[in-house]
Amino acid sequence: MVSPNTPETPGSASPSTGGPRSIQDVVIRLAGNSQDGIQSVGGFLARLAGRSDQDVMTYMTIPSTISGGPSIFQVRMGTGDILSAGDRADMLVAFYQHSYDAHIGSLRPGGVLVYDSDHVKPAAEDHRFTNVAVPITSATVEAVGGTSKDKGKNIFVLGLIARIFDLDVAKLSALIKERFGGKNEDIVRNAMLAFDAGYAWPQNNLRDLFYRFEAIDQATSAHGRPQITLDGNSAIAYGLIAAGVRYGAGYPITPWSSIMEILRTELPKYGGIFVQCEDEIASVSTALGFSYTGQLAITGSSGPGLSLKMEALGWATMAEMPLIVVNVQRGGPSTGMPTNVEQSDLMQAIYGSHGDTPRVVLAPKNVEDCFYISIEAARIAREYSTPVIILTDQGLSSRIEAFDEPDLARLLVDPKADLSERPVDFKPYPLDRPTRHAPAGSKIASGKYPTVTGLEHDELGHPTGSPKLHQQMTIKRREKLKQLAATLPAPELTGDSAGEVLLVTWGSSWGPGREALTRVRKVGVKAGHMHLRHLHPLPNGLEQTFARYHKVIVAELNDEGPYGYGQLATMLRARHAMPNILSVCKTDGLTFKVSELVAGIAKHIESTELDATVGVARHSALAKS
Amino acid sequence: MTKKALTADHPTWCPGCGDFAVLACFYRVLEKLQYPHEKIVTFAGIGCSSRFPYFVNTHGGHFIHGRALPFAAGISLGNDDLHVFVFGGDGDGFSIGGNHLVHTARKNVRLTYVIMDNSVYGLTKKQTSPTSPVGFKSKTDPTGAIDQPINPMRTLVNSGATFVARSHATQVNHMTDMMLRAAKHDGFSVVEILSECVEFFEGAFDAAVPRKGGAWALIEEKKHDGTPEDASRHDVSDPVAAFKLASEPWPGRFGVYYENKERKTKNALERDLITKAKERTKNASDLALLQATFAKLR
Ligand SMILES: Cc1ncc(C[n+]2csc(CCOP(=O)(O)OP(=O)(O)O)c2C)c(N)n1
Ligand code: SF4
Ligand SMILES: [Mg+2]
């Protein structure tokens, strides 16, 4: 999105200054049908931005229909930090009338509408936008010729965008060739014909609709490492590989499937195995079997599949078996909104299953964090011999972002199982030490081999009905989480360290949360933003931070329930018993817009009598910002 | 390795339970096989029979009801050096775990599965099981079971298990022989053992016990010796013949119904995938592989 403080923005009415106008960032929404390949245009733009050291953030909706159907891809690219996909688009490319009808509302007034004049008739009386008619279909057919019909429209549009925003043509053509190369020569040739035609079109038909991204400040962009561009699910898959995870099992479900697809393809190269099982129960069971051989394993799913894994997760807690479970949250319950985002599995992740089942729950804040949190999850699972759930969401799963290439040489974990002989006094379930299983295959010096078990047991793994032991073992399993909590870093806190409002977010709401904070502070509200990655156990000492603000507003993508609080807010209220913890919740299947968070904060502040300095005027300003 | 080294907790089964004999046979089988002690894994789900691992001093575990097979598949695939044995009941294997049985068989995961079939739910105290005969009076069918029972041999042959055998807990030598052959089989091998629950289904398998007036009918396997009598013997490599044999009236026959030595195990197929992948990537180190992947994401 063009920053409000950028002097000239795409589509602004200011007269042409001759050369291209300078911008900081731009939000482009492509709306068409999924078979038109708009995802791949978005992908090209994101990758290009990554290669140019620009920040990118994308937002994609995939139709839940089997093939085809309306689809969008939104890419925000620019210089400087890009934190969210942008509330509103600066440029909308509409391929069809239905695309125009459904998405014209997402274009900000003053924005640029590019539409396929072969298919779209924009409302004549609507003068809010700069309308640019481009015969996308016929121009593509003319350029490519032959029998390919309008195939290549997407690449034509890519050329068009490349010219308007003065993108690096050499890098883009290289990307196109990489993508289509290896296939039939004609495909590359046709793609380049379409690209060139699109690139030439503005030159001949547009007067002054040209922009250039502000030069990148080398001091801030010189991270020393090249940028890579990938989606959240891939970041998790590769993060797990970096963490030395070599075995796993799963069953397909949107939006988790791509993680298992990558692992199934990649792990054999590393000597590992990923099994596609008959269902989620078999998947978690097989993964636990892998872990039992001394190889920390991964299983994963999305909401309904996580429910199926719950009984085995209870076993994993009781047997203290390390395991990583990835849950890519989607709209629920049941089949719900399978291609939309929600954060409504938090309670399931923490408290699902039967009995007291302490387990660790982590949530990544962006695509980059999907990579790092996977490594952290593996470390915790091994160190505490416990199941760890990575709670990501649909918003992150398909979003493409650019970030610094990780220092793999430093991060890579050696996956070797420890099959060394265990000493005479080996106990699988010591009360005074963390459990370190002797994997099947390892010798035990005493000649007494352990049984891993879901029955309550003594230190040697023998079943017990002893009330005292059950109490002691329950405490042991719980204490692991408290020990972990004591090691957790203080959560990220930005903005004012005390004031009227503390906005608390988790998961994919990190970026919008940060931007909302900027806006809120801009109108003079003293506010902070805290983002939680460790959801269970929570880091210690949150109450001290909470006490420094009049209101703690927890924003999350789930329902406020009968008592008016979202799932994390409910937990925080239970943990800290602080009445100033409040909720901003929504369940429309979309990630938070910055404006929605700002409005949510404004609503809560206006309802307060706490601070006499909070004036009405300022809140109206808030609501408008 | 001796029986003494293999003995662990004293079994908690009711006196007279058929499962004792199965355990005694398992010790004998392990004594004969002489695998390295640490490479043996004894695993189970939930049920009276599934208590088995506590009574055997090997690596092992007691998982959740019906899911021991997928867990054991993880063990077998996770470390190819291990000898994995899974024990369980008819409810565990054919009811709650029925789908896992089918898929472990279809995938031919290398492990041995011993089903101790007592045709009743023992641990939960006498409910109808998937192998209870029609008319069996249980707490859930006080007037007699009305649902058709599963035919274990047919189910297993159909699903693609590569070694399928049937035995009886009163026939110690036969049982030992079947378990031994199953253990030596390279693939998913299953032995169903009729093992009486003296507490809740007494006399269930008397029809196959000569001492109780029953008939002990063994399967005669084809010897491929060209003799005329060989023609009427059972060809264990023929699944259709196995299916027919399994359709004989109760109590049916005992021995090996089906054996397929050709089909590759999932273990071998996964190994092939790894070998091919490593050939393609020229045995690159983990770090080199991951770095190459990330270079493409630039
Ligand atoms: C998920 C779940 N459902 C039900 C049970 C209760 N349950 C335990 S064992 C069992 C059946 C046991 O029958 P079987 O597998 O034939 O073993 P047996 O006791 O006869 O040897 C049942 C229903 C359970 N433990 N877990
Ligand atoms: S209840 Fe039946 S199956 Fe269970 S131990 Fe007793 S006799 Fe054996
Ligand atoms: Mg039974």
Side-chain angles (χ1 to χ4, degrees), chain A residues 51 228-229 246 264 270 276 278 281 285-286 290 292 315 405 441-442 447 449-455 462, chain B residues 9 38 54 57-63 67 70-71 74 100 103 107 270 273 278 286 289-290 294 297-298:
Chain A
R51 284 194 184 180
I228 54 165
T229 315
R246 296 290 176 268
R264 175 85 185 139
Y270 297 81
Q276 177 174 340
E278 56 270 28
I281 303 176
S285 305
T286 300
F290 282 135
Y292 172 59
W315 185 90
E405 185 172 316
S442 57
Y449 284 85
T451 306
V452 290
T453 172
L455 274 174
H462 299 296
Chain B
D9 298 1
E38 73 278 7
Y54 296 115
N57 179 32
T58 63
H59 276 295
H62 191 212
F63 194 47
R67 323 293 176 189
F71 192 111
H100 305 313
H103 287 273
K107 292 179 172 180
E270 292 289 344
L273 281 184
K278 292 217 171 244
D286 287 7
L289 283 169
L290 203 51
F294 275 68
L297 297 170
R298 279 177 197 163

Side-chain angles (χ1 to χ4, degrees), chain B residues 5-266:
Chain B
L6 291 164
T7 314
D9 298 1
H10 185 74
T12 44
W13 294 314
C14 310
C17 175
D19 295 350
F20 280 102
V22 182
L23 178 64
C25 277
F26 186 53
Y27 293 145
R28 274 172 71 175
V29 167
L30 290 184
E31 277 178 312
K32 281 189 205 278
L33 289 168
Q34 286 297 321
Y35 295 137
H37 200 164
E38 73 278 7
K39 302 238 159 104
I40 308 165
V41 184
T42 315
F43 218 81
I46 300 293
C48 289
S49 40
S50 293
R51 285 268 173 153
F52 213 90
Y54 296 115
F55 316 141
V56 185
N57 179 32
T58 63
H59 276 295
H62 191 212
F63 194 47
I64 57 176
H65 192 28
R67 323 293 176 189
L69 280 181
F71 192 111
I75 308 174
S76 173
L77 294 167
N79 182 349
D80 240 358
D81 294 340
L82 301 172
H83 304 280
V84 183
F85 296 88
V86 179
F87 293 85
D90 41 312
D92 196 71
F94 298 123
S95 192
I96 191 165
N99 198 32
H100 305 313
L101 183 70
V102 171
H103 287 273
T104 314
R106 153 177 103 78
K107 292 179 172 180
N108 198 24
V109 179
R110 197 173 61 78
L111 62 90
T112 297
Y113 183 31
V114 177
I115 305 170
M116 293 136 92
D117 183 356
N118 53 13
S119 297
V120 68
Y121 283 8
L123 190 73
T124 47
K125 303 184 191 305
K126 203 175 188 177
Q127 294 84 13
T128 303
S129 103
T131 52
S132 300
V134 170
F136 172 61
K137 288 197 172 120
S138 72
K139 286 187 194 154
T140 46
D141 274 314
T143 57
I146 54 172
D147 298 324
Q148 155 120 2
I150 270 190
N151 180 318
M153 293 295 103
R154 288 203 322 213
T155 303
L156 285 161
V157 172
N158 263 355
S159 308
T162 50
F163 181 92
V164 181
R166 185 164 181 252
S167 191
H168 197 295
T170 58
Q171 298 282 348
V172 175
N173 290 336
H174 185 261
M175 206 174 14
T176 310
D177 187 35
M178 291 299 110
M179 274 206 241
L180 206 54
R181 277 178 69 178
K184 288 180 178 165
H185 176 76
D186 185 22
F188 181 57
S189 54
V190 189
V191 186
E192 185 212 10
I193 296 173
L194 303 185
S195 172
E196 185 176 324
C197 170
V198 291
E199 193 69 24
F200 300 122
F201 199 173
E202 213 182 346
F205 311 122
D206 283 358
V209 182
R211 209 160 31 82
K212 306 248 171 102
W216 173 246
L218 282 172
I219 294 168
E220 275 198 67
E221 290 175 44
K222 221 185 245 321
K223 296 183 176 138
H224 302 284
D225 56 6
T227 59
E229 56 270 32
D230 205 37
S232 60
R233 293 191 184 121
H234 174 55
D235 179 358
V236 291
S237 68
D238 179 354
V240 178
F243 193 88
K244 274 197 193 130
L245 196 63
S247 306
E248 285 189 5
W250 183 259
R253 301 238 227 142
F254 298 87
V256 178
Y257 277 75
Y258 182 64
E259 183 174 27
N260 181 335
K261 295 182 176 169
E262 311 300 316
R263 196 146 75 82
K264 276 199 166 185
T265 60
K266 182 168 179 68

Side-chain angles (χ1 to χ4, degrees), chain A residues 84-98:
Chain A
S84 75
D87 286 4
R88 300 184 112 185
D90 301 302
M91 175 184 274
L92 172 69
V93 182
F95 284 75
Y96 303 102
Q97 192 64 40
H98 68 74

Side-chain angles (χ1 to χ4, degrees), chain A residues 284-297 312-325 358-360 380-388 428-429 435-440 450-454 457 477 480, chain B residues 43 60-63 71 75:
Chain A
V284 62
S285 305
T286 300
L288 284 167
F290 282 135
S291 280
Y292 172 59
T293 65
Q295 292 277 2
L296 171 64
L313 284 179
W315 185 90
T317 291
M318 181 60 108
E320 300 195 51
M321 194 58 71
L323 179 73
I324 293 181
V325 184
R359 62 172 90 101
V360 179
I380 294 172
R382 290 184 178 110
E383 203 169 310
Y384 295 85
S385 209
T386 180
V388 178
Y429 299 108
T435 282
R436 292 273 180 279
H437 283 296
T451 306
V452 290
T453 172
H457 42 261
R477 294 186 287 265
K480 294 203 283 193
Chain B
F43 218 81
H62 191 212
F63 194 47
F71 192 111
I75 308 174

Side-chain angles (χ1 to χ4, degrees), chain A residues 55-58 80-85 227-237 239 259 326 328-329 341 343 362-376 390-404 406 492 505-515 529 531-535 591:
Chain A
D55 252 33
V56 276
M57 160 88 74
T58 62
D81 278 350
I82 302 272
L83 300 173
S84 75
Q227 293 248 301
I228 54 165
T229 315
L230 78 169
D231 62 86
N233 270 7
S234 305
I236 289 183
I259 297 181
V326 177
V328 189
Q329 298 171 98
V341 68
Q343 298 178 316
L362 310 176
K365 65 176 190 178
N366 59 12
V367 173
E368 181 175 24
D369 198 28
C370 285
F371 180 84
Y372 289 101
I373 218 161
S374 302
I375 297 177
E376 184 177 356
I390 299 175
L391 202 53
T392 173
D393 64 44
Q394 186 276 341
L396 287 173
S397 67
S398 57
R399 179 192 297 167
I400 300 172
E401 286 176 22
F403 57 92
D404 292 357
E492 177 182 316
T505 55
W506 65 278
S508 59
S509 310
W510 172 75
R514 280 278 291 269
E515 284 196 30
H529 172 220
H531 186 82
L532 291 169
R533 298 167 71 248
H534 302 97
L535 299 174
T591 46

